[in-house]
Amino acid sequence: MEEERAMTRILYDLAGADPARRFSPFCWRSKMALAHKGIAVETVPWRFVEKEKIAFSGKDKVPVLVDGEHVVADSWAIADYLESSYPDLPPLFAGPGERGLAKFVAAWTDSILHPAVFCIVALDIVDHLDPGDRAYFRESREARIKATLETWSADREGHIAALRQALMPLRLTLKGQDYLGGSAPGYADYIVFGAFQWARCISPAVLLAPDDPVFAWRRRLLDAFDGLGGRALGYDG
Ligand SMILES: N[C@@H](CCC(=O)N[C@@H](CS)C(=O)NCC(=O)O)C(=O)O
């Protein structure tokens, strides 16, 4: 670990059994934000039970960014850190107003979108986890949802229909503009995109219909930054 930290810039990034399978929605926010700014980073695969590996950050969750002397945990804190430390690189927020609105987007994503995606992909996550992570993931998530993952994720088709319904505000917005911030992508887009990357990297479920404006928006973001998202190990759904 000391060796890893001695290197310039590192992002601890949740991985499955295959270290190339990087499925954390929060880590995707940070990876897209770093790419948006054109900041190179080495990502280090991290598993749920490897708490001691990131204990130096004071947190038990990823993403954790180590940038030279600076250690920043939490995706929102990382976005703020990047904005304030690299003000000359392309901004993640067009201004303080857009940053404020992005807080709403994060709250909507965390409270509505993530639960809607989780009930579709929960069992696929278990299937792709490192064996050492499986019991921890199941116990911690079942305690949180107060149900078994199997009960929670029964009726996948019904959950996909409910997700598509929940996406209506996003769909209506993206009917009239290419990105949430207008004509160019910004941090609000990466927040929402992280949820779709979570699903795409871990589950063969098809979340979006090809004629949905959300589908075209996701395609644009999959192709951004030389296909950073699109090239990631995952499925085509
Ligand atoms: N608010 C945090 C949430 C980060 C988070 O929940 N990360 C998950 C991976 S997607 C995690 O590390 N979980 C560890 C655990 O559940 O023990 C952020 O925005 O970075």
Side-chain angles (χ1 to χ4, degrees):
M1 181 188 79
E2 286 312 315
E3 236 171 64
E4 280 167 7
R5 287 176 62 190
M7 291 188 297
T8 341
R9 198 176 291 116
I10 287 172
L11 188 80
Y12 288 84
D13 189 12
L14 182 66
D18 184 336
R21 192 174 302 280
R22 306 296 179 85
F23 60 99
S24 158
F26 300 102
C27 293
W28 274 107
R29 295 180 191 185
S30 298
K31 286 182 281 186
M32 295 296 279
L34 284 153
H36 177 103
K37 287 209 164 276
I39 299 174
V41 69
E42 179 173 349
T43 61
V44 171
W46 177 86
R47 305 299 180 350
F48 282 109
V49 296
E50 294 180 323
K51 303 295 185 200
E52 82 292 344
K53 251 192 168 181
I54 55 168
F56 65 89
S57 72
K59 294 274 163 49
D60 62 353
K61 293 183 172 58
V62 290
V64 171
L65 176 69
V66 181
D67 187 13
E69 295 296 295
H70 303 277
V71 175
V72 194
D74 186 89
S75 56
W76 186 271
I78 290 172
D80 270 345
Y81 167 79
L82 294 176
E83 281 298 75
S84 58
S85 303
Y86 300 97
D88 298 334
L89 297 177
L92 294 167
F93 307 107
E98 192 174 295
R99 181 183 177 280
L101 280 175
K103 282 256 179 198
F104 168 79
V105 173
W108 176 74
T109 303
D110 294 353
S111 61
I112 303 293
L113 187 52
H114 279 186
V117 171
F118 185 67
C119 50
I120 299 167
V121 306
L123 291 174
D124 295 318
I125 296 176
V126 177
D127 287 347
H128 288 92
L129 283 179
D130 191 71
D133 266 357
R134 285 190 191 140
Y136 169 80
F137 178 80
R138 181 178 279 279
E139 280 160 25
S140 58
R141 272 46 181 181
E142 290 186 344
R144 195 184 288 170
I145 61 180
K146 297 185 176 57
T148 63
L149 295 180
E150 283 73 10
T151 311
W152 195 251
S153 50
D155 185 21
R156 174 174 274 195
E157 289 313 310
H159 289 312
I160 290 176
L163 169 71
R164 291 182 180 186
Q165 181 60 31
L167 291 175
M168 192 57 85
L170 185 64
R171 182 172 302 123
L172 293 176
T173 307
L174 295 172
K175 249 186 190 170
Q177 59 192 54
D178 279 355
Y179 298 100
L180 291 176
S183 57
Y187 194 63
D189 292 278
Y190 308 142
I191 292 169
V192 182
F193 179 70
F196 288 100
Q197 275 300 84
W198 180 27
R200 191 171 186 277
C201 292
I202 211 81
S203 170
V206 176
L207 303 190
L208 298 169
D211 61 351
D212 190 332
V214 180
F215 183 97
W217 163 86
R218 184 186 59 170
R219 185 71 256 166
R220 286 190 284 279
L221 289 170
L222 286 168
D223 293 342
F225 315 125
D226 296 323
L228 174 68
R231 282 187 282 107
L233 178 64
Y235 294 88
D236 277 337

Short mmCIF file of all heavy atoms in Angstrom, two decimals, residues 182-237:
data_model
loop_
_atom_site.label_atom_id
_atom_site.label_comp_id
_atom_site.label_asym_id
_atom_site.label_seq_id
_atom_site.Cartn_x
_atom_site.Cartn_y
_atom_site.Cartn_z
N GLY A 182 -26.84 21.57 -20.89
CA GLY A 182 -27.10 22.23 -22.17
C GLY A 182 -26.36 21.54 -23.30
O GLY A 182 -26.57 20.36 -23.56
N SER A 183 -25.43 22.27 -23.93
CA SER A 183 -24.80 21.71 -25.13
C SER A 183 -23.51 20.93 -24.84
O SER A 183 -22.97 20.28 -25.72
CB SER A 183 -24.50 22.84 -26.12
OG SER A 183 -23.70 23.81 -25.48
N ALA A 184 -23.00 21.03 -23.60
CA ALA A 184 -21.76 20.32 -23.27
C ALA A 184 -21.94 19.57 -21.94
O ALA A 184 -22.70 20.01 -21.08
CB ALA A 184 -20.61 21.31 -23.16
N PRO A 185 -21.25 18.43 -21.78
CA PRO A 185 -21.42 17.66 -20.55
C PRO A 185 -20.73 18.31 -19.35
O PRO A 185 -19.73 19.02 -19.50
CB PRO A 185 -20.77 16.31 -20.87
CG PRO A 185 -19.78 16.60 -21.94
CD PRO A 185 -20.31 17.78 -22.73
N GLY A 186 -21.28 18.08 -18.19
CA GLY A 186 -20.70 18.59 -16.95
C GLY A 186 -20.91 17.58 -15.84
O GLY A 186 -21.36 16.45 -16.08
N TYR A 187 -20.61 17.98 -14.62
CA TYR A 187 -20.63 17.01 -13.51
C TYR A 187 -22.02 16.41 -13.28
O TYR A 187 -22.12 15.23 -12.93
CB TYR A 187 -20.08 17.65 -12.23
CG TYR A 187 -19.77 16.60 -11.20
CD1 TYR A 187 -18.80 15.63 -11.45
CD2 TYR A 187 -20.47 16.53 -10.00
CE1 TYR A 187 -18.52 14.63 -10.53
CE2 TYR A 187 -20.20 15.54 -9.06
CZ TYR A 187 -19.22 14.59 -9.34
OH TYR A 187 -18.97 13.60 -8.42
N ALA A 188 -23.08 17.20 -13.51
CA ALA A 188 -24.43 16.64 -13.33
C ALA A 188 -24.63 15.43 -14.25
O ALA A 188 -25.23 14.42 -13.85
CB ALA A 188 -25.48 17.71 -13.61
N ASP A 189 -24.13 15.52 -15.48
CA ASP A 189 -24.25 14.38 -16.39
C ASP A 189 -23.49 13.16 -15.84
O ASP A 189 -23.97 12.03 -15.92
CB ASP A 189 -23.66 14.75 -17.76
CG ASP A 189 -24.49 15.79 -18.47
OD1 ASP A 189 -25.50 15.43 -19.09
OD2 ASP A 189 -24.14 16.99 -18.37
N TYR A 190 -22.31 13.41 -15.28
CA TYR A 190 -21.50 12.28 -14.80
C TYR A 190 -22.15 11.62 -13.58
O TYR A 190 -22.00 10.41 -13.37
CB TYR A 190 -20.07 12.74 -14.48
CG TYR A 190 -19.43 13.48 -15.63
CD1 TYR A 190 -18.61 14.59 -15.42
CD2 TYR A 190 -19.70 13.09 -16.95
CE1 TYR A 190 -18.05 15.27 -16.48
CE2 TYR A 190 -19.14 13.79 -18.02
CZ TYR A 190 -18.32 14.88 -17.78
OH TYR A 190 -17.79 15.56 -18.83
N ILE A 191 -22.86 12.42 -12.78
CA ILE A 191 -23.56 11.84 -11.63
C ILE A 191 -24.58 10.81 -12.10
O ILE A 191 -24.63 9.68 -11.62
CB ILE A 191 -24.27 12.96 -10.82
CG1 ILE A 191 -23.25 13.88 -10.14
CG2 ILE A 191 -25.24 12.36 -9.80
CD1 ILE A 191 -23.87 15.15 -9.54
N VAL A 192 -25.40 11.21 -13.07
CA VAL A 192 -26.45 10.32 -13.56
C VAL A 192 -25.84 9.17 -14.37
O VAL A 192 -26.23 8.01 -14.24
CB VAL A 192 -27.49 11.09 -14.39
CG1 VAL A 192 -28.60 10.17 -14.85
CG2 VAL A 192 -28.06 12.27 -13.59
N PHE A 193 -24.85 9.51 -15.18
CA PHE A 193 -24.18 8.49 -16.01
C PHE A 193 -23.60 7.38 -15.14
O PHE A 193 -23.62 6.20 -15.52
CB PHE A 193 -23.08 9.15 -16.84
CG PHE A 193 -22.30 8.22 -17.71
CD1 PHE A 193 -22.88 7.63 -18.83
CD2 PHE A 193 -20.96 7.93 -17.42
CE1 PHE A 193 -22.15 6.77 -19.64
CE2 PHE A 193 -20.23 7.07 -18.23
CZ PHE A 193 -20.82 6.49 -19.34
N GLY A 194 -23.10 7.73 -13.96
CA GLY A 194 -22.53 6.73 -13.05
C GLY A 194 -23.52 5.61 -12.75
O GLY A 194 -23.13 4.43 -12.66
N ALA A 195 -24.79 5.97 -12.63
CA ALA A 195 -25.80 4.95 -12.33
C ALA A 195 -25.94 3.97 -13.50
O ALA A 195 -26.11 2.75 -13.31
CB ALA A 195 -27.14 5.62 -12.03
N PHE A 196 -25.87 4.50 -14.72
CA PHE A 196 -25.99 3.62 -15.89
C PHE A 196 -24.74 2.77 -16.07
O PHE A 196 -24.82 1.62 -16.52
CB PHE A 196 -26.29 4.46 -17.14
CG PHE A 196 -27.69 5.01 -17.14
CD1 PHE A 196 -27.95 6.32 -16.77
CD2 PHE A 196 -28.77 4.20 -17.46
CE1 PHE A 196 -29.24 6.82 -16.73
CE2 PHE A 196 -30.07 4.68 -17.43
CZ PHE A 196 -30.31 6.00 -17.06
N GLN A 197 -23.58 3.34 -15.73
CA GLN A 197 -22.34 2.56 -15.82
C GLN A 197 -22.31 1.43 -14.78
O GLN A 197 -21.80 0.35 -15.04
CB GLN A 197 -21.12 3.46 -15.62
CG GLN A 197 -20.66 4.16 -16.85
CD GLN A 197 -20.25 3.21 -17.97
OE1 GLN A 197 -21.13 2.77 -18.73
NE2 GLN A 197 -19.00 2.90 -18.11
N TRP A 198 -22.85 1.72 -13.63
CA TRP A 198 -22.98 0.70 -12.58
C TRP A 198 -23.69 -0.53 -13.18
O TRP A 198 -23.20 -1.66 -13.10
CB TRP A 198 -23.81 1.33 -11.45
CG TRP A 198 -24.11 0.51 -10.25
CD1 TRP A 198 -23.39 -0.52 -9.73
CD2 TRP A 198 -25.24 0.73 -9.38
NE1 TRP A 198 -23.99 -0.96 -8.58
CE2 TRP A 198 -25.12 -0.22 -8.36
CE3 TRP A 198 -26.30 1.62 -9.39
CZ2 TRP A 198 -26.06 -0.30 -7.32
CZ3 TRP A 198 -27.23 1.54 -8.36
CH2 TRP A 198 -27.12 0.60 -7.35
N ALA A 199 -24.87 -0.25 -13.79
CA ALA A 199 -25.66 -1.35 -14.37
C ALA A 199 -24.91 -2.00 -15.53
O ALA A 199 -24.83 -3.23 -15.63
CB ALA A 199 -27.00 -0.80 -14.84
N ARG A 200 -24.35 -1.18 -16.40
CA ARG A 200 -23.74 -1.70 -17.63
C ARG A 200 -22.53 -2.59 -17.33
O ARG A 200 -22.29 -3.57 -18.01
CB ARG A 200 -23.30 -0.51 -18.48
CG ARG A 200 -22.88 -0.86 -19.86
CD ARG A 200 -22.70 0.41 -20.67
NE ARG A 200 -22.43 0.08 -22.05
CZ ARG A 200 -21.23 -0.24 -22.50
NH1 ARG A 200 -20.21 -0.26 -21.68
NH2 ARG A 200 -21.06 -0.54 -23.77
N CYS A 201 -21.78 -2.23 -16.30
CA CYS A 201 -20.56 -2.98 -15.98
C CYS A 201 -20.86 -4.29 -15.24
O CYS A 201 -19.97 -5.13 -15.10
CB CYS A 201 -19.59 -2.13 -15.15
SG CYS A 201 -18.92 -0.75 -16.10
N ILE A 202 -22.07 -4.44 -14.73
CA ILE A 202 -22.33 -5.58 -13.86
C ILE A 202 -23.48 -6.46 -14.32
O ILE A 202 -23.64 -7.59 -13.84
CB ILE A 202 -22.60 -5.07 -12.40
CG1 ILE A 202 -22.14 -6.08 -11.35
CG2 ILE A 202 -24.04 -4.69 -12.17
CD1 ILE A 202 -20.71 -6.07 -11.03
N SER A 203 -24.32 -5.97 -15.25
CA SER A 203 -25.57 -6.70 -15.54
C SER A 203 -25.90 -6.70 -17.02
O SER A 203 -25.79 -5.65 -17.69
CB SER A 203 -26.72 -6.03 -14.77
OG SER A 203 -27.96 -6.55 -15.19
N PRO A 204 -26.37 -7.85 -17.52
CA PRO A 204 -26.81 -7.89 -18.93
C PRO A 204 -28.20 -7.28 -19.13
O PRO A 204 -28.68 -7.20 -20.26
CB PRO A 204 -26.83 -9.39 -19.24
CG PRO A 204 -27.01 -10.07 -17.92
CD PRO A 204 -26.42 -9.17 -16.86
N ALA A 205 -28.85 -6.81 -18.07
CA ALA A 205 -30.20 -6.25 -18.20
C ALA A 205 -30.20 -5.06 -19.16
O ALA A 205 -29.28 -4.25 -19.14
CB ALA A 205 -30.71 -5.80 -16.84
N VAL A 206 -31.24 -4.99 -19.98
CA VAL A 206 -31.36 -3.87 -20.93
C VAL A 206 -32.25 -2.81 -20.27
O VAL A 206 -33.45 -2.99 -20.12
CB VAL A 206 -31.96 -4.35 -22.27
CG1 VAL A 206 -32.18 -3.17 -23.21
CG2 VAL A 206 -31.04 -5.39 -22.89
N LEU A 207 -31.65 -1.72 -19.85
CA LEU A 207 -32.40 -0.70 -19.10
C LEU A 207 -33.14 0.28 -19.99
O LEU A 207 -34.19 0.80 -19.62
CB LEU A 207 -31.46 0.10 -18.18
CG LEU A 207 -30.63 -0.68 -17.16
CD1 LEU A 207 -29.95 0.29 -16.20
CD2 LEU A 207 -31.48 -1.67 -16.38
N LEU A 208 -32.58 0.56 -21.16
CA LEU A 208 -33.11 1.66 -21.98
C LEU A 208 -33.51 1.16 -23.35
O LEU A 208 -32.82 0.32 -23.95
CB LEU A 208 -32.04 2.74 -22.16
CG LEU A 208 -31.55 3.43 -20.88
CD1 LEU A 208 -30.32 4.29 -21.18
CD2 LEU A 208 -32.67 4.29 -20.28
N ALA A 209 -34.62 1.71 -23.87
CA ALA A 209 -35.02 1.41 -25.25
C ALA A 209 -34.19 2.30 -26.18
O ALA A 209 -33.89 3.45 -25.84
CB ALA A 209 -36.50 1.70 -25.42
N PRO A 210 -33.83 1.77 -27.36
CA PRO A 210 -32.96 2.54 -28.27
C PRO A 210 -33.56 3.87 -28.74
O PRO A 210 -32.81 4.77 -29.10
CB PRO A 210 -32.75 1.59 -29.46
CG PRO A 210 -33.14 0.25 -28.98
CD PRO A 210 -34.09 0.40 -27.84
N ASP A 211 -34.89 4.00 -28.71
CA ASP A 211 -35.47 5.27 -29.16
C ASP A 211 -35.64 6.28 -28.02
O ASP A 211 -36.19 7.36 -28.19
CB ASP A 211 -36.83 5.03 -29.85
CG ASP A 211 -37.85 4.39 -28.90
OD1 ASP A 211 -37.46 3.99 -27.78
OD2 ASP A 211 -39.03 4.31 -29.29
N ASP A 212 -35.13 5.93 -26.84
CA ASP A 212 -35.23 6.84 -25.69
C ASP A 212 -34.12 7.90 -25.80
O ASP A 212 -32.95 7.55 -26.01
CB ASP A 212 -35.01 5.99 -24.41
CG ASP A 212 -35.31 6.77 -23.13
OD1 ASP A 212 -35.18 8.01 -23.14
OD2 ASP A 212 -35.67 6.11 -22.14
N PRO A 213 -34.44 9.18 -25.67
CA PRO A 213 -33.38 10.20 -25.68
C PRO A 213 -32.30 9.94 -24.63
O PRO A 213 -31.14 10.34 -24.80
CB PRO A 213 -34.12 11.51 -25.36
CG PRO A 213 -35.54 11.25 -25.70
CD PRO A 213 -35.77 9.77 -25.53
N VAL A 214 -32.67 9.25 -23.56
CA VAL A 214 -31.67 8.90 -22.53
C VAL A 214 -30.64 7.93 -23.09
O VAL A 214 -29.45 7.99 -22.76
CB VAL A 214 -32.36 8.30 -21.27
CG1 VAL A 214 -31.33 7.95 -20.20
CG2 VAL A 214 -33.40 9.26 -20.71
N PHE A 215 -31.09 7.05 -23.99
CA PHE A 215 -30.19 6.09 -24.63
C PHE A 215 -29.12 6.84 -25.44
O PHE A 215 -27.92 6.55 -25.34
CB PHE A 215 -31.02 5.17 -25.55
CG PHE A 215 -30.24 4.08 -26.22
CD1 PHE A 215 -30.20 2.80 -25.68
CD2 PHE A 215 -29.56 4.32 -27.41
CE1 PHE A 215 -29.49 1.78 -26.32
CE2 PHE A 215 -28.84 3.31 -28.05
CZ PHE A 215 -28.81 2.03 -27.50
N ALA A 216 -29.56 7.83 -26.25
CA ALA A 216 -28.62 8.59 -27.09
C ALA A 216 -27.66 9.41 -26.22
O ALA A 216 -26.47 9.50 -26.53
CB ALA A 216 -29.39 9.51 -28.03
N TRP A 217 -28.19 9.97 -25.14
CA TRP A 217 -27.33 10.73 -24.20
C TRP A 217 -26.29 9.81 -23.60
O TRP A 217 -25.10 10.15 -23.52
CB TRP A 217 -28.24 11.34 -23.12
CG TRP A 217 -27.55 11.81 -21.87
CD1 TRP A 217 -26.97 13.02 -21.64
CD2 TRP A 217 -27.40 11.07 -20.65
NE1 TRP A 217 -26.47 13.08 -20.37
CE2 TRP A 217 -26.72 11.90 -19.73
CE3 TRP A 217 -27.78 9.78 -20.23
CZ2 TRP A 217 -26.41 11.48 -18.44
CZ3 TRP A 217 -27.46 9.37 -18.95
CH2 TRP A 217 -26.79 10.22 -18.07
N ARG A 218 -26.70 8.61 -23.16
CA ARG A 218 -25.75 7.66 -22.57
C ARG A 218 -24.69 7.28 -23.61
O ARG A 218 -23.50 7.19 -23.28
CB ARG A 218 -26.48 6.41 -22.08
CG ARG A 218 -25.54 5.44 -21.37
CD ARG A 218 -26.22 4.14 -20.99
NE ARG A 218 -26.76 3.45 -22.16
CZ ARG A 218 -27.24 2.23 -22.14
NH1 ARG A 218 -27.27 1.55 -21.01
NH2 ARG A 218 -27.70 1.67 -23.23
N ARG A 219 -25.12 7.09 -24.87
CA ARG A 219 -24.15 6.76 -25.93
C ARG A 219 -23.10 7.85 -26.08
O ARG A 219 -21.90 7.58 -26.19
CB ARG A 219 -24.91 6.55 -27.25
CG ARG A 219 -24.12 6.08 -28.43
CD ARG A 219 -23.69 4.62 -28.28
NE ARG A 219 -22.29 4.49 -27.93
CZ ARG A 219 -21.73 3.35 -27.48
NH1 ARG A 219 -22.43 2.26 -27.29
NH2 ARG A 219 -20.46 3.32 -27.18
N ARG A 220 -23.55 9.12 -26.03
CA ARG A 220 -22.59 10.23 -26.16
C ARG A 220 -21.57 10.17 -25.03
O ARG A 220 -20.38 10.39 -25.24
CB ARG A 220 -23.32 11.58 -26.14
CG ARG A 220 -24.08 11.91 -27.41
CD ARG A 220 -24.58 13.35 -27.43
NE ARG A 220 -25.74 13.60 -26.59
CZ ARG A 220 -27.00 13.34 -26.94
NH1 ARG A 220 -27.27 12.81 -28.11
NH2 ARG A 220 -28.00 13.60 -26.11
N LEU A 221 -22.05 9.85 -23.83
CA LEU A 221 -21.13 9.81 -22.69
C LEU A 221 -20.26 8.55 -22.71
O LEU A 221 -19.10 8.59 -22.28
CB LEU A 221 -21.91 9.92 -21.38
CG LEU A 221 -22.50 11.33 -21.16
CD1 LEU A 221 -23.47 11.32 -19.98
CD2 LEU A 221 -21.40 12.36 -20.93
N LEU A 222 -20.79 7.45 -23.24
CA LEU A 222 -19.96 6.24 -23.38
C LEU A 222 -18.79 6.51 -24.34
O LEU A 222 -17.70 5.96 -24.18
CB LEU A 222 -20.80 5.07 -23.91
CG LEU A 222 -21.76 4.42 -22.92
CD1 LEU A 222 -22.72 3.48 -23.66
CD2 LEU A 222 -21.00 3.64 -21.84
N ASP A 223 -19.05 7.35 -25.33
CA ASP A 223 -18.03 7.64 -26.35
C ASP A 223 -17.06 8.75 -25.92
O ASP A 223 -16.02 8.93 -26.55
CB ASP A 223 -18.70 8.05 -27.67
CG ASP A 223 -19.46 6.89 -28.30
OD1 ASP A 223 -19.19 5.73 -27.93
OD2 ASP A 223 -20.35 7.15 -29.14
N ALA A 224 -17.44 9.52 -24.89
CA ALA A 224 -16.61 10.66 -24.48
C ALA A 224 -15.24 10.19 -23.98
O ALA A 224 -15.09 9.04 -23.55
CB ALA A 224 -17.33 11.44 -23.37
N PHE A 225 -14.29 11.08 -24.05
CA PHE A 225 -12.93 10.82 -23.53
C PHE A 225 -12.36 9.51 -24.09
O PHE A 225 -11.98 8.59 -23.35
CB PHE A 225 -12.94 10.79 -21.98
CG PHE A 225 -13.74 11.91 -21.37
CD1 PHE A 225 -14.77 11.65 -20.47
CD2 PHE A 225 -13.50 13.23 -21.74
CE1 PHE A 225 -15.53 12.69 -19.93
CE2 PHE A 225 -14.25 14.26 -21.20
CZ PHE A 225 -15.27 13.99 -20.30
N ASP A 226 -12.40 9.41 -25.41
CA ASP A 226 -11.88 8.23 -26.11
C ASP A 226 -12.57 6.95 -25.66
O ASP A 226 -11.95 5.89 -25.59
CB ASP A 226 -10.36 8.08 -25.91
CG ASP A 226 -9.60 9.24 -26.51
OD1 ASP A 226 -10.02 9.72 -27.59
OD2 ASP A 226 -8.61 9.69 -25.89
N GLY A 227 -13.83 7.06 -25.34
CA GLY A 227 -14.60 5.87 -24.99
C GLY A 227 -14.24 5.29 -23.63
O GLY A 227 -14.35 4.08 -23.41
N LEU A 228 -13.87 6.15 -22.69
CA LEU A 228 -13.53 5.68 -21.33
C LEU A 228 -14.63 4.77 -20.76
O LEU A 228 -14.36 3.67 -20.27
CB LEU A 228 -13.32 6.90 -20.41
CG LEU A 228 -13.10 6.61 -18.93
CD1 LEU A 228 -11.75 5.94 -18.72
CD2 LEU A 228 -13.17 7.89 -18.10
N GLY A 229 -15.87 5.22 -20.84
CA GLY A 229 -16.98 4.43 -20.31
C GLY A 229 -17.31 3.24 -21.20
O GLY A 229 -17.53 2.13 -20.73
N GLY A 230 -17.35 3.48 -22.51
CA GLY A 230 -17.75 2.44 -23.45
C GLY A 230 -16.76 1.29 -23.52
O GLY A 230 -17.14 0.14 -23.78
N ARG A 231 -15.47 1.57 -23.26
CA ARG A 231 -14.45 0.52 -23.34
C ARG A 231 -14.39 -0.32 -22.06
O ARG A 231 -13.74 -1.36 -22.03
CB ARG A 231 -13.07 1.16 -23.55
CG ARG A 231 -12.80 1.61 -24.96
CD ARG A 231 -11.34 2.09 -25.13
NE ARG A 231 -11.11 3.43 -24.61
CZ ARG A 231 -10.43 3.70 -23.49
NH1 ARG A 231 -9.92 2.73 -22.74
NH2 ARG A 231 -10.25 4.95 -23.09
N ALA A 232 -15.05 0.16 -21.02
CA ALA A 232 -14.94 -0.55 -19.73
C ALA A 232 -15.58 -1.94 -19.82
O ALA A 232 -16.57 -2.13 -20.54
CB ALA A 232 -15.64 0.28 -18.64
N LEU A 233 -15.02 -2.88 -19.10
CA LEU A 233 -15.57 -4.24 -19.09
C LEU A 233 -17.01 -4.22 -18.60
O LEU A 233 -17.30 -3.72 -17.52
CB LEU A 233 -14.71 -5.12 -18.17
CG LEU A 233 -15.17 -6.56 -18.01
CD1 LEU A 233 -15.11 -7.33 -19.34
CD2 LEU A 233 -14.32 -7.27 -16.95
N GLY A 234 -17.91 -4.75 -19.43
CA GLY A 234 -19.31 -4.76 -19.04
C GLY A 234 -20.17 -5.41 -20.10
O GLY A 234 -19.69 -6.27 -20.85
N TYR A 235 -21.42 -4.99 -20.16
CA TYR A 235 -22.38 -5.56 -21.11
C TYR A 235 -22.86 -4.46 -22.05
O TYR A 235 -22.59 -3.27 -21.81
CB TYR A 235 -23.56 -6.16 -20.35
CG TYR A 235 -23.16 -7.35 -19.50
CD1 TYR A 235 -22.70 -7.17 -18.19
CD2 TYR A 235 -23.21 -8.64 -20.01
CE1 TYR A 235 -22.31 -8.26 -17.42
CE2 TYR A 235 -22.83 -9.73 -19.23
CZ TYR A 235 -22.38 -9.53 -17.93
OH TYR A 235 -22.01 -10.60 -17.17
N ASP A 236 -23.65 -4.85 -23.05
CA ASP A 236 -24.09 -3.86 -24.04
C ASP A 236 -25.43 -3.22 -23.72
O ASP A 236 -25.88 -2.36 -24.45
CB ASP A 236 -24.15 -4.51 -25.43
CG ASP A 236 -22.78 -4.51 -26.07
OD1 ASP A 236 -21.96 -3.67 -25.68
OD2 ASP A 236 -22.54 -5.37 -26.95
N GLY A 237 -26.07 -3.64 -22.62
CA GLY A 237 -27.46 -3.23 -22.36
C GLY A 237 -27.70 -1.76 -22.22
O GLY A 237 -26.83 -0.98 -22.00
#
